[in-house]
Amino acid sequence: MSFLFITMRNQSLFTFSFPLFFLIVTCCGLIACQTPYRQSVPQKNLTYRYTGWPEKSVERLLFQYLDSKNFLISESREGTMRFDRKGSHWDTVKYGSFLEPAVWLRLEPTFNEDKESMQTTLSIKVSLITHRLSSLEEEITPGKHHMEEANEILGYFERMMLQSVSSNTPSPTSED
């Protein structure tokens, strides 16, 4: 009688645990994936091209523009300029803590001038930063919202650059 009870108990345990084991392994596999299926890795760089603008002019105007938009300027150890602006309170709660550290949106521009085609390429690395300018500084990959915010800020700069070019060229209907 006890032999029959042990066999029944083991059979019941095996039948019940196999689907449970399979479910646990499947859930662990889904949780372990960093990037969901068919979703691209977030982009961290924005690129803009300015024809007819020398590198020094684009650099100077960008620095003035970002300064007017309340970005704080700092320099990396490698000598590249960085522009930081405090993120929202939601960013601080999500990526930092309730009290500190504040989260900052960081833009790191690099410039490349092609003298043959008279084109300057502006590449902007976008990131989020906690513990700004300290030894504990941590870089966080920006989300879609942060990339859109940076793209909007730089979109205004691009329109400003295009307006200044179009205001320097005479209109076809003007009389000299």
Side-chain angles (χ1 to χ4, degrees):
M1 179 79 165
S2 69
F3 177 76
L4 181 61
F5 178 70
I6 292 172
T7 307
M8 291 291 286
R9 190 174 80 188
N10 287 343
Q11 183 182 10
S12 171
L13 181 65
F14 180 73
T15 306
F16 180 73
S17 68
F18 181 73
L20 182 62
F21 175 75
F22 182 75
L23 179 64
I24 290 171
V25 168
T26 304
C27 288
C28 288
L30 290 175
I31 292 170
C33 290
Q34 288 183 349
T35 305
Y37 181 68
R38 291 185 180 239
Q39 186 176 8
S40 62
V41 176
Q43 178 186 4
K44 293 174 41 173
N45 294 319
L46 299 171
T47 303
Y48 301 90
R49 289 176 179 77
Y50 302 100
T51 303
W53 285 92
E55 179 181 334
K56 293 291 183 193
S57 296
V58 175
E59 183 177 352
R60 182 178 45 81
L61 290 171
L62 178 68
F63 289 8
Q64 290 173 354
Y65 174 75
L66 291 176
D67 184 46
S68 75
K69 295 296 180 189
N70 300 321
F71 279 84
L72 301 177
I73 300 172
S74 64
E75 193 172 335
S76 71
R77 290 182 186 142
E78 296 80 29
T80 59
M81 299 305 284
R82 305 177 301 191
F83 297 88
D84 302 332
R85 185 169 79 178
K86 248 185 190 178
S88 69
H89 292 296
W90 172 247
D91 288 336
T92 300
V93 170
K94 186 175 180 184
Y95 300 106
S97 68
F98 289 104
L99 303 174
E100 283 295 325
V103 174
W104 297 77
L105 175 67
R106 175 169 285 171
L107 305 178
E108 292 182 65
T110 55
F111 303 90
N112 186 14
E113 182 179 18
D114 182 11
K115 294 192 189 266
E116 261 185 46
S117 65
M118 300 224 8
Q119 185 176 57
T120 299
T121 302
L122 167 64
S123 297
I124 304 277
K125 178 185 173 195
V126 180
S127 57
L128 296 177
I129 301 296
T130 59
H131 301 284
R132 179 179 180 264
L133 302 178
S134 76
S135 60
L136 300 174
E137 186 172 281
E138 179 183 1
E139 184 176 319
I140 302 167
T141 303
K144 180 180 177 185
H145 167 72
H146 303 105
M147 293 302 295
E148 289 171 354
E149 180 182 355
N151 197 22
E152 183 178 328
I153 291 166
L154 295 164
Y156 287 126
F157 175 72
E158 186 172 41
R159 285 190 286 281
M160 180 187 76
M161 296 285 284
L162 292 174
Q163 284 176 351
S164 65
V165 168
S166 64
S167 66
N168 290 338
T169 57
S171 85
T173 59
S174 68
E175 296 178 18
D176 291 345

